[in-house]
């Protein structure tokens, strides 16, 4: 007798079952219910939205932090916080580093779904389905929604797959399926467009000659999409191939995991940015140089103001000019406060640990003997406030201790690093 564990191990996964269901339903519709190309177009468009929705659900609760190549404005500050907002009684959490990814991906998926509707459903027209076909397509869409939901709950949440994903990797498979569904919908709509020449201009698109769009073509479209979907399900095998080969296809990417930051031993000092440094450090020239994107954000309203100036709309020009100054300064200040507003630097004899008092988490740790480079910044704002900024450079990253009154304890630790 086969045990439940063996059945789960050797049987098809919930994700595979969901893909089979999503592709078997249109096949049944074509072979048994007499669906035409229009019904396939509508179903593929609905499926596109369903896949995007459940991908966003998986991304929201991804267990690993998201990774950025640089430290972008606002997003980099949020991503630096190694903490999550817990969901009561579930063991799940929403990582702060997930929020910038969602802010970018959500409108992209919504735009893709909208454009796909324009180029597919818009071609065949929303009024071309009869009531019976529309009802069966709706039932099939609900079935696909439920199968995708069961797959997500079983594979992703119950079996703990979310612990191995960041928001970026959790949503990556959805982009592949979205591309496949979109291509399938476009091919279907294209075939509809080619067959439209066989009917009068005032006739319904469903009157296309069956000889132009026959049953083999409909079945072929469904099977081709099914093959691509099934290949996406077994992307783990592609990942294994990527790891074993000399070529880098990008399939073997593994998101970063949380690296625990050990606390300091016996503290000899605690340093915090001064109140003046926290208030004015974000709008300083030194901070603006670290985030040149803020200058670009301010430059866009300047171009708009120039256009209104040509029309002599001076009241609008003043408002836009004010926005070109306030918006980048506001972004710089918000980013600075997210990074350093609640920061505290705990110093011992052999280490420095950055601690976030707001989220009560340790951010990073520097130990004596790492051989790091250090420099002290003292610009005009520093001299006016009587502060200093300590910059510790590693090979691939930079740690900043901004606007502290007395940097000597940190310099002593790093000084022992350099002398060995």
């Amino acid at each position: 007798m086969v045990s439940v564990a063996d059945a789960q191990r050797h049987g098809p996964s919930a994700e595979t079952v969901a893909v089979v269901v999503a592709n078997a339903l249109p096949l049944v519709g074509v072979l048994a219910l007499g669906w035409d190309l229009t019904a396939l177009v509508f179903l593929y468009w609905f499926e596109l939205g369903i896949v995007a929705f459940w991908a966003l659900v998986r991304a929201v609760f991804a267990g690993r932090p998201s990774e950025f190549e640089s430290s972008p404005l606002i997003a980099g500050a949020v991503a630096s916080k190694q903490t999550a907002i817990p969901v009561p009684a579930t063991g799940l959490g929403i990582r702060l580093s997930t929020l910038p990814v969602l802010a970018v991906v959500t409108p992209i998926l919504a735009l893709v779904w909208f454009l796909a509707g324009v180029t597919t459903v818009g071609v065949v027209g929303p009024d071309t389905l009869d009531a019976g076909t529309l009802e069966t397509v709706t039932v099939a869409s609900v079935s696909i929604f439920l199968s995708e939901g069961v797959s997500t709950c079983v594979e992703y949440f119950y079996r703990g797959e979310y612990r191995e994903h960041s928001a970026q990797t959790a949503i990556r498979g959805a982009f592949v399926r979205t591309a496949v569904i979109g291509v399938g919908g476009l091919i279907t709509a294209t075939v509809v467009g080619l067959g439209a020449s066989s009917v009068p201009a005032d006739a319904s698109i469903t009157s296309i000659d069956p000889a132009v769009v026959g049953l083999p073509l409909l079945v072929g479209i469904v099977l081709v999409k099914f093959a691509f979907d099934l290949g996406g399900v077994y992307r783990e095998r592609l990942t294994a191939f990527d790891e074993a080969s000399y070529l880098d296809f990008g399939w073997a990417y593994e998101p970063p995991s949380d690296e625990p930051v050990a606390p300091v031993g016996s503290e000899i000092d605690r340093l915090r940015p001064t109140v003046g440094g926290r208030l004015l450090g974000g709008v300083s020239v030194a901070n603006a140089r670290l985030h040149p994107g803020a200058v670009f954000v301010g430059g866009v309203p300047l171009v708009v103001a120039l256009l209104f100036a040509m029309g002599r709309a001076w009241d609008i020009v003043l408002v836009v000019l004010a926005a070109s100054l306030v918006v980048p300064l506001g972004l710089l200040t918000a980013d600075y406060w997210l990074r350093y507003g609640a920061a505290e630097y705990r110093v011992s004899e052999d280490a420095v640990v950055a601690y976030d008092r707001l989220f009560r988490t340790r951010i990073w740790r520097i130990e004596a003997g790492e051989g790091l480079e250090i420099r002290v910044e003292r610009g005009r704002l520093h001299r006016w406030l009587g502060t200093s900024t300590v910059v510790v450079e590693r090979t691939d990253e930079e740690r900043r201790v901004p606007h502290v009154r007395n940097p000597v304890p940190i310099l002593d630790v790093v000084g022992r690093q350099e002398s060995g």
Side-chain angles (χ1 to χ4, degrees), residues 8 23 50 62 68 92 123 139-140 149 176 291 294 308 314 323 396 410:
Q8 291 179 348
N23 288 275
I50 292 168
F68 300 93
L92 302 173
V123 171
V139 172
V176 177
H291 305 288
F308 280 105
W314 302 116
D396 56 345
I410 296 178

Side-chain angles (χ1 to χ4, degrees), residues 280-320:
L280 302 177
V283 296
S284 64
V285 176
N287 189 53
R289 289 173 179 171
L290 295 174
H291 305 288
V295 179
F296 173 78
V297 172
V300 174
L302 289 178
V303 177
V304 177
L306 180 61
L307 296 177
F308 280 105
M310 296 173 63
R312 298 183 180 275
W314 302 116
D315 51 346
I316 300 179
V317 171
L318 292 177
V319 173
V320 176

Side-chain angles (χ1 to χ4, degrees), residues 50 87 92 103 114 146 156 160 230 235 239 250 258 285 300 306 337 384 397:
I50 292 168
V87 178
L92 302 173
F114 173 76
L146 294 177
Y156 195 73
L230 204 59
R235 56 185 176 273
T239 299
D258 283 326
V285 176
V300 174
L306 180 61
W337 269 81
W384 183 56
E397 58 188 354

Side-chain angles (χ1 to χ4, degrees), residues 170-324:
I171 211 167
R172 181 174 56 184
F175 276 103
V176 177
R177 287 194 63 187
T178 298
V180 172
I181 297 171
V183 171
L186 285 174
I187 292 176
T188 308
T190 301
V191 173
V192 172
L194 293 177
S197 59
S198 63
V199 299
D202 57 347
S204 172
I205 202 74
T206 55
S207 303
I208 295 177
D209 185 2
V212 178
V213 183
L215 180 64
L217 178 59
L218 296 177
V219 174
I221 292 174
V222 174
L223 293 180
V224 168
K225 175 184 171 296
F226 176 55
F228 278 100
D229 279 348
L230 204 59
V233 171
Y234 293 99
R235 56 185 176 273
E236 290 82 5
R237 298 185 181 181
L238 297 177
T239 299
F241 172 76
D242 193 3
E243 292 174 341
S245 66
Y246 293 101
L247 302 176
D248 184 12
F249 296 99
W251 297 324
Y253 170 76
E254 183 177 359
S257 57
D258 283 326
E259 298 181 1
V261 179
V264 295
S266 56
E267 296 181 13
I268 61 175
D269 206 345
R270 290 189 179 188
L271 306 179
R272 296 179 183 178
T274 63
V275 176
R278 279 177 282 183
L279 290 175
L280 302 177
V283 296
S284 64
V285 176
N287 189 53
R289 289 173 179 171
L290 295 174
H291 305 288
V295 179
F296 173 78
V297 172
V300 174
L302 289 178
V303 177
V304 177
L306 180 61
L307 296 177
F308 280 105
M310 296 173 63
R312 298 183 180 275
W314 302 116
D315 51 346
I316 300 179
V317 171
L318 292 177
V319 173
V320 176
L321 286 177
S324 68

